[in-house]
Amino acid sequence: MSEGIENKVVVITDASSGLGEATARHLAARGASVVLGARRSHRIDALVQKLTAAGFKAKAVTTDVTDAGQVQNLVNTAVREFGRIDVMLNNAGLMPLAPLERLKVDEWDRMIDVNVKGVLYGIAAALPYMKEQRSGHIINVSSVYGHVVDPGAAVYCATKFAVRALSEGLRKEVKPYNIRTTVISPGAVSTELLEHISEKDIQQGTRDFVSKIAVGPDTFARTVAFAINEPEDVDINEILFRPTAQPV
C-alpha cells in the first residue's frame, strides 16, 4: 500500500449522502479511486457521473449492507475494476432514537443489522484481500454515542459501542498482515441521520439541538483523509470529534 491518498482504492458504504458522499468527493479530489455503495442507486450513479466528469476515478455499486453477498460484490467490484482494495470505510448507519419502553423492536433489529452486522460484512469482504496483499486499512464509523449513553438512545449506543469493540479486536488480530484500523466517532454532523427517527417528539427535540451546533460532513471527510494520509508505519486507531459547542 502506497503512502498518502493518491492512487489508493477506497470502498465506501452508504455513499449516497452525508458523510459517505462528502468523503467520496474529498478523497477523489485527492487522487483516490473511489468505489461507492448504497441502496439508492440513482444517488450514487449521479455522484459518480459528476466525479468522472471532473476527471476523477469512481465506480457505483448498488449495495444493501444488510446483505453480506451485496457487500462482497461491492468489494469484489473494486478489486476487479482497480486491481486492489486499500481502504474499506464501513460508514452505513441508522439512528432511530426512542426510549426502550416504546418497544420499537423492528427498529432495534434494523439498527443491529446495519450498524453492527453491516460493519462485520464489510470486514469479511475486505479482509481476505488485505491479508493477501499484506496491506490495507479498515475504517469503521462509531459515534460519540459509542462513548456515552443517554436516555432514549440505549440501543443505538449499544450498536456503536459494539463497533468500537469490534474495531479494537480487529486491530489486535491483523497486526501480522500490516493492516491498519481506525474507528471514527463523530459528534453532531449535518446529515440525513435524524430522518431515521420515527418518534416525532424525539426527532424534533434532537433536530432543534443538532441544528444549533452541527458541523458539516466535510469535517468527517477531512478526518478520514487524515487517518489514511499518515505514513504506513502509523496506525491512527481511534478518533473522536465533536463540534466545539457540543457538550455531550
Side-chain angles (χ1 to χ4, degrees):
M1 182 172 65
S2 61
E3 294 184 0
I5 294 172
E6 189 174 6
N7 298 321
K8 282 191 175 154
V9 179
V10 182
V11 176
I12 304 173
T13 62
D14 196 15
S16 59
S17 65
L19 306 182
E21 179 182 356
T23 304
R25 292 179 183 275
H26 188 73
L27 297 181
R30 297 187 63 174
S33 300
V34 294
V35 181
L36 312 181
R39 289 184 303 142
R40 295 179 292 184
S41 56
H42 66 287
R43 296 280 292 267
I44 52 173
D45 287 342
L47 177 56
V48 164
Q49 288 177 5
K50 291 178 181 177
L51 292 175
T52 54
F56 306 137
K57 296 178 181 179
K59 177 78 175 177
V61 183
T62 303
T63 307
D64 182 340
V65 299
T66 67
D67 184 323
Q70 291 188 36
V71 179
Q72 187 66 64
N73 179 60
L74 171 66
V75 172
N76 290 349
T77 300
V79 175
R80 185 171 62 249
E81 291 287 324
F82 298 109
R84 59 187 295 113
I85 174 173
D86 295 303
V87 181
M88 179 73 196
L89 174 55
N90 291 307
N91 169 65
L94 298 174
M95 192 183 71
L97 303 179
L100 290 169
E101 66 183 2
R102 297 192 188 182
L103 301 180
K104 308 292 284 187
V105 177
D106 289 346
E107 292 184 355
W108 301 349
D109 288 341
R110 184 67 178 167
M111 273 191 281
I112 291 168
D113 287 344
V114 174
N115 297 1
V116 181
K117 293 170 70 175
V119 170
L120 285 169
Y121 293 159
I123 292 169
L127 190 53
Y129 286 115
M130 293 181 177
K131 285 176 62 178
E132 184 178 358
Q133 295 169 178
R134 300 193 70 82
S135 70
H137 192 168
I138 295 175
I139 303 176
N140 300 325
V141 181
S142 180
S143 168
V144 165
Y145 272 151
H147 298 256
V148 300
V149 181
D150 275 349
V155 179
Y156 179 70
C157 293
T159 65
K160 292 303 186 177
F161 269 82
V163 171
R164 290 183 61 221
L166 288 170
S167 300
E168 176 61 6
L170 178 67
R171 181 190 71 81
K172 292 180 176 180
E173 292 183 12
V174 298
K175 290 303 170 186
Y177 312 110
N178 195 42
I179 296 170
R180 302 193 295 176
T181 64
T182 303
V183 57
I184 300 177
S185 299
V189 180
S190 298
T191 70
E192 298 176 2
L193 196 63
L194 303 188
E195 301 304 316
H196 304 149
I197 303 174
S198 62
E199 302 293 271
K200 296 305 179 184
D201 57 328
I202 297 172
Q203 185 186 61
Q204 189 58 53
T206 307
R207 182 177 284 130
D208 290 345
F209 168 73
V210 169
S211 65
K212 295 175 183 176
I213 64 169
V215 294
D218 286 347
T219 307
F220 175 83
R222 293 193 302 272
T223 303
V224 172
F226 164 71
I228 296 173
N229 195 54
E230 283 300 287
E232 231 184 309
D233 61 351
V234 177
D235 196 6
I236 304 296
N237 300 128
E238 188 157 6
I239 300 172
L240 166 60
F241 75 89
R242 300 174 173 91
T244 305
Q246 182 172 347
V248 179

